[in-house]
Amino acid sequence: MSLSLAYGNRGVAKLIQSLQAEEPEEETSLTLLTLNGLLSNQENKMKAISHEPPLVPVLTKLLAAPDAETRKLSAQTLASLSLVYQGRLAVREADTVAPLTGLVGTDEEAVAESSGAALLALSTSRDGCVVLAEHEAD
């Protein structure tokens, strides 16, 4: 998929479809970078969260990608989505806290920082703290 076509009203949906298509690593990183730029407003966050099939499980899977840049950008995207209630619910449903927690201790500083930022975004609300506490209870 050409990223030059991912703009306008369907831009977020096209980028998500591209991520779900399991592209080569370079394209995945560029797609995540572009998607992160579009998630700067709540409307686009809600488009991303409500997309079918869901985005958060794809991002959770990408947290285990061999490419550090892909892992970093996936964590940044999850951090952005976790700033809204529906995003925190999606993170809970996808059981994303465990892989994020695992990445905080990695030797790759940028990945650890982005994963920590995603956990911090979860912790800024009561319902997000519940998601974190549920992970601790498991």
Side-chain angles (χ1 to χ4, degrees), residues 55-76:
L55 172 62
V56 174
V58 174
L59 295 172
T60 303
K61 182 180 172 187
L62 289 173
L63 290 172
D67 178 44
E69 185 70 9
T70 299
R71 292 193 308 273
K72 178 187 90 168
L73 292 168
S74 296
Q76 287 176 350

Side-chain angles (χ1 to χ4, degrees), residues 12 33-34 73-74 82 93 95 122:
V12 170
L33 187 63
T34 306
L73 292 168
S74 296
S82 295
E93 290 171 12
D95 198 27
L122 276 171

Side-chain angles (χ1 to χ4, degrees), residues 1 26 29 35 41 47 49 58 66-67 85 103 110 117 120 131 133:
M1 167 187 193
E26 305 87 31
S29 293
L35 180 60
N41 64 59
K47 283 180 185 178
I49 293 164
V58 174
D67 178 44
Y85 175 72
L103 288 176
L120 177 64
V131 173

Side-chain angles (χ1 to χ4, degrees), residues 7-133:
Y7 62 91
N9 200 26
R10 293 237 335 114
V12 170
K14 287 181 180 182
L15 291 168
I16 293 170
Q17 289 168 353
S18 178
L19 286 173
Q20 292 167 337
E22 298 185 15
E23 316 173 306
E25 289 177 14
E26 305 87 31
E27 288 185 33
T28 300
S29 293
L30 186 56
T31 301
L32 285 167
L33 187 63
T34 306
L35 180 60
N36 274 328
L38 293 176
L39 294 179
S40 62
N41 64 59
Q42 198 162 358
E43 179 183 0
N44 284 341
K45 286 178 186 160
M46 294 308 297
K47 283 180 185 178
I49 293 164
S50 64
H51 187 272
E52 287 296 330
L55 172 62
V56 174
V58 174
L59 295 172
T60 303
K61 182 180 172 187
L62 289 173
L63 290 172
D67 178 44
E69 185 70 9
T70 299
R71 292 193 308 273
K72 178 187 90 168
L73 292 168
S74 296
Q76 287 176 350
T77 304
L78 287 163
S80 181
L81 295 175
S82 295
L83 294 174
V84 295
Y85 175 72
Q86 293 83 350
R88 294 186 294 274
L89 289 178
V91 165
R92 179 185 195 183
E93 290 171 12
D95 198 27
T96 305
V97 174
L100 284 172
T101 304
L103 288 176
V104 170
T106 187
D107 292 336
E108 296 159 326
E109 189 175 320
V111 174
E113 186 177 321
S114 296
S115 298
L119 293 170
L120 177 64
L122 276 171
S123 72
T124 59
S125 65
R126 288 183 183 180
D127 56 274
C129 287
V130 170
V131 173
L132 294 172

